[in-house]
Amino acid sequence: MNWDDLFADLQAQFVAQQRAEQGELVADLVEAEAATTTFGARVRAAKGRSVTARLLDGTDRRGLVTDAAPTWFVLGDGERRSLIRMDAVVAAWPLAGVAPAPGRVEQGLRLGHVLRALAADGAEVLAHTLGGMHRGRIVRVGADHLDLATAAAVLVVPWSALLSVDSQ
């Protein structure tokens, strides 16, 4: 019996066992991370990249992810900006990776904050809703709805019906 060969064989078996265990551990960790990953974290990770988002009404929005929070994101295409509710999206691509957990400020930026900023700006917007498109100015933002002044009337739009708000 050659002692050197025996120890070399034992060492090779030990290294192979360690690699197998590490591979299983890595696979378990990857699976655990994927199980806790949110759609919003994937969109936030795409900040600065081009994304297509298909909305509940079947329309698509394309552009660079210019800003994102846990409940909304903004796609920019030239001068146009589309504010999109996360839960208005049925599919998005390409998305890869995961952003770290949002910071305290980012976590606190809700849809109402952004809509109030658009209202304060006074710019004309195109509101895409489950019931159609409406052009006007956001004149009031409530806890779960907005008032949109159109040429015909002031529409009260619940956020649950709002898909996106586009501005130029």
Side-chain angles (χ1 to χ4, degrees), residues 91-146:
W93 63 93
L95 293 180
V98 179
R104 190 173 178 183
V105 172
E106 187 181 38
Q107 182 71 33
L109 285 176
R110 299 289 182 198
L111 184 62
H113 292 95
V114 182
L115 291 172
R116 285 182 189 91
L118 287 172
D121 185 45
E124 186 173 79
V125 298
L126 182 61
H128 291 261
T129 71
L130 290 171
M133 295 184 290
H134 310 282
R135 188 171 298 281
R137 292 185 184 353
I138 300 172
V139 294
R140 181 170 177 244
V141 179
D144 64 353
H145 66 282
L146 62 85

Side-chain angles (χ1 to χ4, degrees), residues 3-162:
W3 287 98
D4 291 336
D5 290 343
L6 176 66
F7 287 124
D9 184 52
L10 287 173
Q11 186 175 6
Q13 289 178 29
F14 179 74
V15 169
Q17 181 64 30
Q18 277 189 315
R19 285 187 182 148
E21 288 174 3
Q22 286 176 343
E24 289 174 16
L25 178 60
V26 168
D28 289 346
L29 291 173
V30 168
E31 186 177 330
E33 181 182 9
T36 61
T37 299
T38 65
F39 173 68
R42 305 251 335 250
V43 172
R44 287 185 304 104
K47 194 170 178 180
R49 293 193 313 229
S50 183
V51 169
T52 299
R54 178 151 303 141
L55 305 184
L56 288 167
D57 66 349
T59 61
D60 291 345
R61 303 289 182 282
R62 290 179 183 86
L64 293 179
V65 178
T66 61
D67 210 346
T71 60
W72 56 268
F73 63 101
V74 176
L75 291 181
D77 185 15
E79 294 297 313
R80 182 190 56 78
R81 297 288 180 268
S82 293
L83 170 65
I84 302 169
R85 289 184 1 213
M86 290 287 184
D87 55 3
V89 178
V90 296
W93 63 93
L95 293 180
V98 179
R104 190 173 178 183
V105 172
E106 187 181 38
Q107 182 71 33
L109 285 176
R110 299 289 182 198
L111 184 62
H113 292 95
V114 182
L115 291 172
R116 285 182 189 91
L118 287 172
D121 185 45
E124 186 173 79
V125 298
L126 182 61
H128 291 261
T129 71
L130 290 171
M133 295 184 290
H134 310 282
R135 188 171 298 281
R137 292 185 184 353
I138 300 172
V139 294
R140 181 170 177 244
V141 179
D144 64 353
H145 66 282
L146 62 85
D147 291 1
L148 184 70
T150 69
V154 176
L155 304 176
V156 179
V157 180
W159 293 352
S160 60
L162 187 65

